[in-house]
Amino acid sequence: MNIQLKRGLLEFCVLAVLKKGESYGYQIVKDVSQVIEMSESTLYPILKRLEGGNYVGSHSVAYNGRLRKYYQITPAGEAYMDDFLKDWNQVMDVYHFIKGAVENE
C-alpha cells in the first residue's frame, strides 16, 4: 500500500479502536494489525499527533509495578472520524473514476 495513503488511514484505524473503548499502545497495535500492518514505532507518533489535536486523551494506570498509559477518544476525535467518513464517499468516487479509466483501456 502507498505509504501516504497508509499513513492517513492509520490515524482513523487508531481512532476506530479507541471508539470501542480505552486502550494502551501494545493492544492498539494488535487490534489495528488485524486489518493493516502497524508497529509500535509507528503508533506513538500517531498518538502524539492525535493528542495534540485533542482527538484523544490519556491517563496512566499502575500495572505490574509500572505505569501503563491508556488512551481514549474525545468528542473532537469522534467528530474527526465522522468527517473522515463523509469525505470517504468522495474518495470512493475518485476510486471508481480511476478504476473505470483502467478497466476501459
Side-chain angles (χ1 to χ4, degrees):
M1 178 181 287
N2 176 289
I3 191 71
Q4 295 294 6
L5 179 59
K6 182 177 179 180
R7 181 176 181 234
L9 292 174
L10 285 174
E11 277 192 357
F12 294 101
C13 289
V14 169
L15 289 172
V17 166
L18 297 177
K19 180 87 169 137
K20 296 176 185 178
E22 71 176 22
S23 192
Y24 56 96
Y26 179 74
Q27 187 63 51
I28 295 169
V29 169
K30 278 181 57 177
D31 292 343
V32 170
S33 292
Q34 293 177 25
V35 293
I36 188 170
E37 184 180 334
M38 175 184 238
S39 67
E40 287 186 58
S41 63
T42 301
L43 173 65
Y44 289 105
I46 290 171
L47 286 169
K48 185 174 182 176
R49 226 176 11 259
L50 290 171
E51 271 192 298
N54 197 34
Y55 301 126
V56 301
S58 65
H59 65 279
S60 297
V61 175
Y63 178 79
N64 284 344
R66 51 184 266 204
L67 289 179
R68 177 183 279 174
K69 194 169 186 179
Y70 283 85
Y71 299 88
Q72 65 278 341
I73 193 168
T74 64
E78 291 183 12
Y80 188 45
M81 281 184 67
D82 289 342
D83 290 343
F84 168 78
L85 292 173
K86 289 174 191 168
D87 290 344
W88 194 254
N89 291 326
Q90 186 176 3
V91 170
M92 290 306 298
D93 291 342
V94 171
Y95 166 81
H96 290 297
F97 175 78
I98 294 167
K99 186 176 180 187
V102 169
E103 290 174 348
N104 291 327
E105 283 187 358

